[in-house]
Amino acid sequence: MTDANTETTEIRTVSNFLRDQIAEDVRTKKFGDAVVQTRFPPEPNGYLHIGHAKAICLDFGLADEFGGKTNLRFDDTNPEKEEQEYVDSIQEDVRWLGFEWDKVCYASDYFDQLYEWAIQLIKAGKAYVDDLSADEIRQYRGTLTEPGKNSPYRDRTVEENLDLFTRMKDGEFPDGSRVLRAKIDMASPNLNMRDPVMYRILHASHHRTGDKWCIYPMYDYAHGQSDSIEHVTHSMCTLEFADHQPIYRWYIDQLGIFPSQQIEFDRLNLTYTLLSKRRLLQLVQEKHVSGWDDPRMPTLSGIRRRGFTPGALRALCASIGATRTNGSTDIEMLEHFQRDDLNKKARRAMAVLRPLKIVIDNYPEGQVEFVDVQNNPEDPAAGTRQVPFSRELYIEQDDFREVPPPKYYRLSAGKEVRLRAAYFVTAQSVVKDADGNVVEVHCTYDPASRGGNSPDGRKVKSTMHWVSAQHAVSAEVRVYDKLFSKPNPNDFPEGGSFLDNLNPNSLEVIADAKLEPSLAEAKLGAPYQFERVGYFCLDRDTTAEKLVFNRTLALKDTWAKIEKTASGGGAAR
RNA sequence: UGGGCGAUCGUCUAAUGGUAGGACAGUGCCCUUUGGAGGCACUUGUCUAGGUUCGAAUCCUAGUCGCCCAGCCA
């Protein structure tokens, strides 16, 4: 873990079967004196998302626990989909999460070795060149319930296979005309063992090897051997690869190379969240979001821009652990760890999203005083700041009701409340517009209550945030909600699409929020808590003329819950 | 209907033959210069049916339900 990303958040780690397995292997010296070696093997064909964060935490975290090492390996065996842009973003994301790899590796680093091993397998009579078309191969493969049948080219001589494979490599044949296959068992109940394709012809330029190759190894032929070359002891991957373990082992056994061990765990699923590269890509391409780093996206770049933190992600991953059961983690769990992390670190500030002007009639016109406010009550070391107070202020529209509903503690006609760190004020009268909306509230203040306490000891039910009107800085604030309105975005009726589950209110732009002056100095990447409102961060769209903030997460809102229950909306979920 | 994997509070997850525990969510109370944070309490669970055992979430048998696999993708 890098020092720069060391978090204060205490991470509670749950025991899991992967950790147990590694501990057992270390104890029994399954790999001799070799150190625990893992790898995180993304294909550089897209952006990393929260699901990858789990794999990263497991791959790097577990190796770290056992004093081992982790390689970042790009599984770049399909030149048609892969790009340098993605390898760059993946490295940035892994580092952001707080991990540092031992080595950066590429499956393409091993293309020569893989080729030699293919020759070796051909010579051993374990691989052959097949002239069947893709369609024919599919037909010969059989089905889930019926065995496949042998290709007519299966029994070519070693010499012929060697000749053909060499010429495949030399570019003599067009794409799709031939493949190299492992000779295993066309009747195997495991489809992956029915003579899997090892190499296909692809006259495509590779982002690293350029035009050196026109044949490329398949995942199954490359992955285990890449692990083996790197002496990976524990190769952790998701459950859908369990059926590939026999082929993973077969190549290693036939080649007699370092016996890396594959172990599968469950993929992360989150409610209200889609973690499928294909669909995420569709959201970007069809412009349902602004891009891969749209703050509503579950990509690491998206949630980073949104203001989520590595500490929260790591705490979540530690808490959910790893099992072999497939379920769906409640998004509330992520939000909990996120609030927990931010609560300890975020500097507080006062900001009014939907301003309502209040005028303190008995406060001297033109007077300005500065009140001392704590920067973070959770962390006294964060110190205090001076916030200007004056006769005209903004408060949140939600914080005033002419006629208060039951249990409403905030400002209402005749009611006294505290303005945070400033004074007690009492609402006296309202000014309304032609439509009858309250546009201004006139109050009186108690000059003896400076700092927020009355010498006579009287209490108020509510403390509210505020911003001095003449000192306020304006900002655009982007308020995000869930991208999807269903717990399972893939739950849609026939004929429908996951797009039908898009939440139409996932983004609300507040054009002119009023912030306390100190926020003009907000820094990119720093978390802020707008008191009583939520956690926010500066967005990179900010310019010299305009501040733009993203709402990372709202604060828990007990009043909203009370109100919802009272309005007959029932309990909040 | 072939093969593989799995099933514990609403959700996630511990318990490795010996008191079913934690976290999230929910509810109530306390506290609070954020209706935030914090504290306390409460509620809810071993898929089913048999069996082994002094004792079973754990082992055995049979069922049920769920997920994955028929790319020259990874």
Side-chain angles (χ1 to χ4, degrees):
Chain A
M1 203 173 285
T2 57
D3 289 342
N5 271 303
T6 300
E7 301 291 332
T8 51
T9 303
E10 184 201 339
I11 294 187
R12 210 183 324 212
T13 301
V14 121
S15 91
N16 70 54
F17 79 100
L18 294 171
R19 180 177 289 108
D20 294 346
Q21 181 64 59
I22 296 173
E24 171 73 1
D25 292 344
V26 167
R27 191 181 64 77
T28 63
K29 289 186 179 279
K30 175 172 176 179
F31 297 94
D33 292 320
V35 297
V36 171
Q37 177 72 240
T38 64
R39 104 270 89 119
F40 171 61
E43 181 187 13
N45 70 342
Y47 286 80
L48 258 28
H49 55 61
I50 304 178
H52 294 108
K54 172 173 176 173
I56 293 169
C57 287
L58 253 14
D59 289 331
F60 285 88
L62 253 14
D64 206 48
E65 277 181 47
F66 289 93
K69 294 175 176 175
T70 306
N71 291 338
L72 172 61
R73 183 171 72 234
F74 292 99
D75 223 333
D76 55 351
T77 56
N78 185 359
E80 294 185 311
K81 289 193 189 170
E82 298 151 7
E83 290 172 34
Q84 185 63 36
E85 171 195 354
Y86 298 126
V87 343
D88 295 339
S89 79
I90 288 168
Q91 299 197 23
E92 183 185 358
D93 288 347
V94 171
R95 286 210 175 94
W96 173 72
L97 256 188
F99 296 103
E100 192 53 64
W101 46 86
D102 182 37
K103 286 181 287 215
V104 177
C105 307
Y106 296 82
S108 55
D109 289 341
Y110 312 134
F111 282 175
D112 286 302
Q113 174 65 264
L114 258 8
Y115 179 77
E116 281 173 35
W117 278 333
I119 298 286
Q120 186 181 326
L121 289 174
I122 291 172
K123 287 180 176 167
K126 300 288 186 182
Y128 63 98
V129 172
D130 196 346
D131 297 0
L132 253 26
S133 70
D135 273 351
E136 290 166 326
I137 286 182
R138 188 181 317 119
Q139 281 157 24
Y140 276 75
R141 186 157 30 228
T143 68
L144 292 177
T145 52
E146 301 155 22
K149 53 185 184 189
N150 291 349
S151 163
Y153 303 97
R154 197 174 199 258
D155 295 315
R156 295 219 244 229
T157 63
V158 169
E159 290 67 31
E160 191 180 3
N161 282 320
L162 245 21
D163 173 61
L164 255 12
F165 185 53
T166 307
R167 290 163 61 193
M168 275 171 64
K169 187 201 74 167
D170 291 341
E172 286 190 31
F173 310 120
D175 288 2
S177 57
R178 282 175 234 264
V179 292
L180 182 71
R181 292 230 254 172
K183 192 186 284 188
I184 307 181
D185 177 10
M186 288 306 292
S188 172
N190 182 341
L191 293 267
N192 296 122
M193 297 298 272
R194 319 244 262 227
D195 289 10
V197 172
M198 294 165 61
Y199 274 94
R200 75 280 212 186
I201 301 173
L202 226 48
H203 290 268
S205 188
H206 186 280
H207 69 105
R208 292 189 74 243
T209 60
D211 295 322
K212 177 178 178 187
W213 297 89
C214 63
I215 56 171
Y216 290 93
M218 300 289 292
Y219 165 85
D220 279 321
Y221 183 66
H223 201 93
Q225 290 94 302
S226 299
D227 284 343
S228 184
I229 290 168
E230 294 171 24
H231 279 46
V232 168
T233 53
H234 300 270
S235 178
M236 293 170 276
C237 62
T238 46
L239 243 23
E240 67 269 26
F241 290 99
D243 286 341
H244 294 247
Q245 188 164 159
I247 185 62
Y248 179 102
R249 280 209 286 254
W250 190 86
Y251 288 126
I252 285 177
D253 289 348
Q254 295 300 320
L255 264 10
I257 54 180
F258 184 86
S260 299
Q261 171 69 51
Q262 174 177 313
I263 312 175
E264 311 88 13
F265 63 87
D266 62 320
R267 192 179 261 283
L268 174 68
N269 292 304
L270 278 178
T271 57
Y272 297 97
T273 308
L274 220 42
L275 296 176
S276 137
K277 263 186 195 171
R278 208 189 99 242
R279 297 199 153 162
L280 260 21
L281 178 67
Q282 190 180 345
L283 291 175
V284 173
Q285 287 178 336
E286 295 179 6
K287 303 204 184 302
H288 296 105
V289 295
S290 63
W292 285 103
D293 70 343
D294 185 300
R296 293 165 295 180
M297 287 285 272
T299 50
L300 296 184
S301 52
I303 63 177
R304 179 197 306 141
R305 183 173 174 192
R306 168 89 168 250
F308 277 66
T309 58
L313 255 16
R314 278 194 256 113
L316 172 74
C317 291
S319 150
I320 61 176
T323 64
R324 290 176 71 88
T325 70
N326 24 38
S328 194
T329 297
D330 199 324
I331 190 75
E332 304 257 18
M333 192 87 85
L334 204 211
E335 294 178 350
H336 162 76
F337 286 111
Q338 190 53 77
R339 289 193 181 98
D340 192 48
D341 193 40
L342 255 15
N343 178 49
K344 292 167 194 145
K345 297 190 303 206
R347 298 282 289 243
R348 314 289 131 126
M350 292 196 285
V352 174
L353 263 34
R354 295 172 182 83
L356 172 63
K357 183 173 272 188
I358 69 171
V359 180
I360 301 170
D361 292 329
N362 61 338
Y363 192 86
E365 218 151 333
Q367 178 171 311
V368 176
E369 54 188 313
F370 287 83
V371 298
D372 216 31
V373 190
Q374 273 195 292
N375 283 327
N376 185 352
E378 296 290 312
D379 177 19
T384 62
R385 67 187 185 286
Q386 300 277 299
V387 181
F389 182 89
S390 64
R391 188 169 192 263
E392 297 195 356
L393 311 165
Y394 292 117
I395 63 168
E396 212 71 62
Q397 287 172 16
D398 273 356
D399 283 344
F400 176 79
R401 296 288 174 83
E402 201 173 5
V403 183
K407 293 192 179 163
Y408 187 83
Y409 300 155
R410 283 112 96 142
L411 195 64
S412 55
K415 178 93 79 59
E416 183 173 52
V417 300
R418 170 167 41 228
L419 293 180
R420 169 119 228 225
Y423 292 99
F424 283 9
V425 296
T426 305
Q428 303 296 352
S429 63
V430 300
V431 177
K432 294 182 181 179
D433 63 13
D435 299 325
N437 300 309
V438 175
V439 293
E440 198 173 290
V441 179
H442 285 257
C443 303
T444 53
Y445 84 119
D446 175 1
S449 64
R450 179 158 211 248
N453 276 310
S454 160
D456 65 11
R458 70 183 190 277
K459 306 274 191 208
V460 288
K461 273 285 216 180
S462 181
T463 300
M464 298 174 7
H465 61 101
W466 50 273
V467 174
S468 167
Q470 60 170 298
H471 301 94
V473 297
S474 290
E476 173 177 315
V477 175
R478 299 172 181 170
V479 176
Y480 302 101
D481 197 355
K482 298 178 173 74
L483 224 204
F484 293 96
S485 46
K486 276 200 176 172
N488 176 8
N490 283 320
D491 175 22
F492 51 83
E494 308 87 39
S497 139
F498 73 99
L499 296 170
D500 301 339
N501 291 328
L502 241 16
N503 174 8
N505 305 313
S506 61
L507 168 61
E508 181 191 0
V509 177
I510 294 174
D512 194 12
K514 300 296 186 185
L515 322 183
E516 70 165 66
S518 71
L519 250 10
E521 258 67 61
K523 289 199 263 308
L524 222 43
Y528 298 91
Q529 185 196 95
F530 293 180
E531 284 196 270
R532 302 206 309 134
V533 179
Y535 295 101
F536 293 79
C537 65
L538 198 66
D539 188 80
R540 61 169 166 75
D541 285 348
T542 294
T543 63
E545 295 76 40
K546 188 170 85 168
L547 289 170
V548 180
F549 281 87
N550 293 318
R551 186 177 78 181
T552 307
L553 222 42
L555 248 28
K556 281 196 184 172
D557 191 345
T558 304
W559 166 243
K561 207 177 284 182
I562 293 170
E563 207 177 21
K564 192 173 176 185
T565 307
S567 72
R573 204 153 13 101

